[in-house]
Amino acid sequence: MEMSRKLKLWLVIGVLILATMACSIPSLPLISFGEEGVVVTEEVTEQTVQPEATPQTGFVVPERVLLEDALVQIYDQVSPGVVSIQVFSQSGAGLGSGFVIDKEGHIVTNYHVVEGADEVEVHFQSGLKVFGDVIGVDLDSDLAVIQVDVDPAALQPLTIGDSSQVRVGQSVIAIGNPYGLSGTMTAGIVSAQGRTLESIRRTEGGTFFTAGDIIQTDATINPGNSGGPLLNLNGEVIGVNRAIQTSGRTLEGGAVNTGIGFAVSSNILSLVLPSLKQGETYQYPYLGLSALPSINLTQAELLGLPQATGAYVVDIVPGGPADEAGLQAGNEPTQVQGLFAGGDLIVGVDGQDVLQFSDMLSYMLLNKQPGDEIDVTILRDDEETTLTVVLGERPANGQ
């Protein structure tokens, strides 16, 4: 019994040390860098550990570390399906990452990796190098699909996982081409879920749409990692690495890592992928409003709100779905310039609680299509009411 307790303690300490060592990563302006597969068919299972007591310390030391074995196994299975991407355009050359998704030669990457590309090279771990064609792009999620003409035997597709099953604290790994160093693997954890980033596509008013259901991670992501997979310990893709948050530049001009990286969730990828493979545009549901990302106590007091949770509506697109349904934006000046009271506070959608804007956005993106109805529960003048909105399509106005 005493030996078993010591073994558990050692394993906990060992995993914590490994996690700590793996968590130095990307790096507050945002800087972006540039389903079918069956490659990973085995789940990582626990292996028998043979403990051995060392005479010097008396500690029980396992002959093999389970996490280390899992990481080695995942790399061996998955890395052949991860590719390096070189892009050539009128503005110069760029680097990125991607991964194979089927035997038909479809490869996923970020849109910003191939944006404006005149020529795209795809380099495989085997040494195979081929040209690729960009056949589908999605500016809202920053995703793109490249087609390569390759013998199916040379393709090793990755399995797309279910990002709704991801939990904060879960171990993840990234494989990609940072700074041109192909086949690089880094490890960390899921730091948060449901984050938002600016889309690359502009609204009619000149601002950017919002990309939702973003996974935050501290697995090291650097320039060139963009478009590569974020994987769980079963080797399944749970995200597409997109961007890092940085505190400035190094003396060489590179981004300074702060340990905050972002990946497009695999469930968003699964939604848009069928359209991109066909060279079509994926149609996102559209509510036609803007809201504060979150609300602090000071804002709640200035706005006269009964609570500091929910999505406070600051702008309504005239004639849009929210406007047609009767939602209202703030229009009464407060002590803070640009902050107007009198708007609706969205506290729920379809019976799901909304604590902040990202909750509403993730729910809508993952569960609704243009033309669907969504029940929006609001607080107006401290009274709760529910309005039904018929969702539209995000206006197609290019970038």
Side-chain angles (χ1 to χ4, degrees):
M1 178 65 72
E2 184 64 21
M3 178 175 291
S4 175
R5 292 176 61 189
K6 289 181 179 179
L7 174 58
K8 290 180 181 178
L9 176 60
W10 191 96
L11 286 172
V12 169
I13 294 173
V15 170
L16 287 175
I17 291 173
L18 285 172
T20 301
M21 292 175 65
C23 296
S24 63
I25 107 172
S27 67
L28 245 127
L30 286 173
I31 293 184
S32 295
F33 300 135
E35 28 218 34
E36 303 162 358
V38 291
V39 165
V40 182
T41 57
E42 298 179 344
E43 292 192 354
V44 176
T45 57
E46 290 191 359
Q47 303 180 27
T48 303
V49 176
Q50 300 295 332
E52 178 183 358
T54 62
Q56 294 88 348
T57 64
F59 288 150
V60 176
V61 180
E63 291 181 354
R64 305 182 70 186
V65 179
L66 296 181
L67 180 58
E68 180 181 282
D69 288 345
L71 295 178
V72 171
Q73 180 182 354
I74 291 168
Y75 185 82
D76 290 343
Q77 290 182 326
V78 172
S79 61
V82 180
V83 300
S84 299
I85 297 173
Q86 292 191 9
V87 175
F88 303 92
S89 66
Q90 294 181 352
S91 59
L95 296 171
S97 304
F99 56 94
V100 179
I101 56 170
D102 57 33
K103 289 285 189 175
E104 298 170 355
H106 293 112
I107 291 171
V108 166
T109 187
N110 283 140
Y111 166 73
H112 75 258
V113 170
V114 297
E115 182 179 7
D118 296 321
E119 202 167 69
V120 176
E121 289 187 20
V122 178
H123 298 182
F124 292 81
Q125 189 188 56
S126 64
L128 174 66
K129 299 178 181 180
V130 297
F131 290 106
D133 296 316
V134 180
I135 63 169
V137 300
D138 179 33
L139 278 66
D140 287 283
S141 61
D142 191 15
L143 292 173
V145 171
I146 299 171
Q147 176 87 60
V148 293
D149 185 10
V150 171
D151 184 344
L155 298 172
Q156 201 156 324
L158 272 58
T159 299
I160 309 298
D162 180 1
S163 56
S164 70
Q165 301 302 309
V166 172
R167 296 293 178 264
V168 174
Q170 177 178 330
S171 295
V172 289
I173 62 175
I175 301 177
N177 183 36
Y179 298 107
L181 301 171
S182 62
T184 295
M185 178 179 180
T186 56
I189 62 169
V190 173
S191 304
Q193 296 172 272
R195 297 299 196 200
T196 60
L197 292 176
E198 281 189 348
S199 164
I200 297 177
R201 188 157 68 94
R202 293 183 182 273
T203 68
E204 294 176 332
T207 59
F208 290 93
F209 284 106
T210 303
D213 203 43
I214 302 293
I215 297 172
Q216 180 184 330
T217 179
D218 69 351
T220 305
I221 298 171
N222 282 299
N225 268 121
S226 280
L230 185 70
L231 305 124
N232 61 21
L233 292 189
N234 288 328
E236 300 167 330
V237 177
I238 59 167
V240 183
N241 297 318
R242 174 183 170 181
I244 67 169
Q245 198 161 26
T246 176
S247 61
R249 296 281 183 176
T250 64
L251 293 176
E252 294 77 20
V256 177
N257 271 332
T258 62
I260 298 177
F262 300 100
V264 182
S265 76
S266 61
N267 284 6
I268 291 291
L269 170 63
S270 295
L271 283 175
V272 306
L273 198 50
S275 297
L276 301 191
K277 289 169 67 175
Q278 297 299 318
E280 300 171 351
T281 300
Y282 179 78
Q283 300 297 338
Y284 284 85
Y286 176 63
L287 199 53
L289 62 76
S290 298
L292 293 178
S294 61
I295 306 166
N296 59 40
L297 293 173
T298 300
Q299 290 171 327
E301 183 177 353
L302 290 170
L303 295 169
L305 301 177
Q307 61 190 59
T309 56
Y312 179 75
V313 181
V314 296
D315 188 40
I316 297 283
V317 177
D323 188 31
E324 294 285 340
L327 272 80
Q328 297 179 3
N331 58 9
E332 303 167 7
T334 66
Q335 298 175 21
V336 176
Q337 185 176 2
L339 184 65
F340 296 91
D344 292 331
L345 180 65
I346 299 174
V347 296
V349 287
D350 286 349
Q352 307 287 319
D353 290 339
V354 172
L355 299 181
Q356 55 189 4
F357 174 68
S358 61
D359 296 334
M360 178 178 68
L361 183 64
S362 291
Y363 172 80
M364 188 174 69
L365 293 180
L366 294 172
N367 297 282
K368 297 294 182 178
Q369 299 291 328
D372 289 348
E373 293 184 347
I374 186 170
D375 291 330
V376 180
T377 302
I378 62 171
L379 291 179
R380 181 185 295 173
D381 298 327
D382 294 345
E383 292 187 7
E384 185 175 296
T385 186
T386 298
L387 301 175
T388 299
V389 182
V390 179
L391 296 170
E393 295 180 358
R394 284 187 173 181
N397 98 212
Q399 298 186 29

